[in-house]
Amino acid sequence: MKTIALLPVITYPEPNPEMVVPRAVAMAAALGVQLHALAINVEIRNISNALSRRLVDVPKMTREAEALCRDRGEAFLAKVVLEAKRAGVDSTTDAVASNAPLLNDTAAIQARYYDLVLCAWEPNNPTSRTTAQAIIFGSGRPTILLPEVEPARKLDKVAIAWDGSRVAARAVADAHHVLRRASKITVLTVTGEKSLQETDAAQRFAQGLNLRGLSAEAMPFVSEDCPVEVSLQERAIEIGADLMIMGAFGHTRLRDFVLGGATKGILSDVRLPIMLSH
């Protein structure tokens, strides 16, 4: 049975940059999955009237904007095909169109038809952030954020951010494909947190992974004068983790995202590839 990862690209208003393509292809290779790239182009409703046609020619502007998005999408998909072929990764591509207000919702809905999602993460690109949030909380699929770092060609070392919560357990369950490919798993637990109900949570979870035939160790630590999300990422980077797995706290209220503290921090500063699951 094939495992297929979706790489969505929204082309409006700020498109995801093509620089994410090599990162996504490398991650697909490391995961041993097929890559499906999907361009999500804008479809602008015709709101013109006689006055607007005389003064601005809104229909022409609409056609030009839609054509620009399609061109961006085609260029992105062509780059995916080229990079995937070079890396020996199976890939397919497609494109869909959606009204501007529904672009992120479309990405989340499309993601439900794949096993996992690879998302570009660019700190200065609002599109990448809103797309990632929509997919993490709306798709029901694990999502790997790909920041501006070179991904590993193999997932030798994987870190798990574990606090014993429901979302952490859900994230690990969604990451079985990743964990089976790792040669070493480190369970990171920040001690002294109010939400941590068990003092030996990391040890218990690592033991459970070892009983399942995986190679895991516990690494509880104290976060000193540093937000939890920063401490987790710094410790993961220190041990050489190629990927960190964690649960995502959050819900939507009136179409605005209300994020848990650590999740909000992670989505503000992604320092290594992170698999988030809600």
Side-chain angles (χ1 to χ4, degrees):
M1 178 178 175
K2 290 183 180 179
T3 299
I4 306 176
L6 175 68
L7 173 62
V9 55
I10 290 179
T11 59
Y12 178 91
E14 300 91 1
N16 292 133
E18 293 181 13
M19 291 183 295
V20 72
V21 173
R23 285 179 260 156
V25 169
M27 181 58 70
L31 293 168
V33 300
Q34 180 176 317
L35 184 63
H36 180 76
L38 179 69
I40 304 174
N41 302 318
V42 72
E43 185 177 64
I44 302 173
R45 290 179 178 175
N46 188 357
I47 56 173
S48 65
N49 53 46
L51 180 61
S52 68
R53 285 193 294 270
R54 285 198 299 268
L55 297 179
V56 184
D57 196 354
V58 172
K60 179 181 178 182
M61 293 176 60
T62 297
R63 291 193 300 271
E64 290 176 347
E66 291 178 340
L68 176 60
C69 290
R70 288 194 298 271
D71 290 344
R72 289 169 173 169
E74 289 173 2
F76 188 95
L77 298 180
K79 188 171 181 63
V80 169
V81 171
L82 180 62
E83 293 288 342
K85 185 175 181 180
R86 288 175 177 171
V89 172
D90 290 338
S91 69
T92 56
T93 64
D94 200 0
V96 296
S98 175
N99 292 330
L102 300 177
L103 288 170
N104 291 321
D105 290 341
T106 298
I109 292 169
Q110 292 288 330
R112 296 170 190 167
Y113 295 89
Y114 300 89
D115 299 293
L116 58 101
V117 189
L118 305 179
C119 267
W121 186 259
E122 309 289 337
N124 298 319
N125 188 321
T127 300
S128 68
R129 179 165 182 158
T130 56
T131 302
Q133 287 182 181
I135 290 173
I136 291 166
F137 295 105
S139 70
R141 291 292 184 263
T143 303
I144 298 179
L145 301 182
L146 299 174
E148 295 174 309
V149 297
E150 186 68 25
R153 297 294 172 176
K154 291 181 64 179
L155 294 181
D156 287 327
K157 298 180 180 179
V158 172
I160 298 174
W162 180 255
D163 61 1
S165 66
R166 180 197 66 80
V167 294
R170 178 71 268 167
V172 174
D174 286 342
H176 279 177
H177 180 83
V178 174
L179 297 178
R180 287 195 299 268
R181 301 182 70 85
S183 59
K184 183 177 181 181
I185 301 167
T186 302
V187 181
L188 301 176
T189 296
V190 180
T191 59
E193 287 295 302
K194 293 181 181 179
S195 60
L196 191 65
Q197 298 179 354
E198 300 172 310
T199 57
D200 62 343
Q203 292 87 343
R204 285 189 61 193
F205 196 71
Q207 182 181 16
L209 293 175
N210 286 323
L211 289 174
R212 291 167 174 80
L214 301 172
S215 177
E217 65 174 1
M219 186 176 288
F221 66 97
V222 178
S223 178
E224 298 179 355
D225 300 324
C226 193
V228 171
E229 64 275 5
V230 174
S231 296
L232 286 168
Q233 290 192 82
E234 287 184 347
R235 190 55 59 95
I237 292 171
E238 285 176 7
I239 63 175
D242 303 309
L243 176 75
M244 183 168 75
I245 298 164
M246 67 180 294
F249 284 95
H251 62 280
T252 57
R253 184 177 61 194
L254 299 178
R255 299 187 62 82
D256 291 325
F257 286 103
V258 181
L259 305 176
T263 305
K264 184 176 181 180
I266 288 290
L267 292 177
S268 298
D269 182 16
V270 181
R271 305 185 181 190
L272 78 161
I274 297 178
M275 174 180 276
L276 287 162
S277 189
H278 176 65

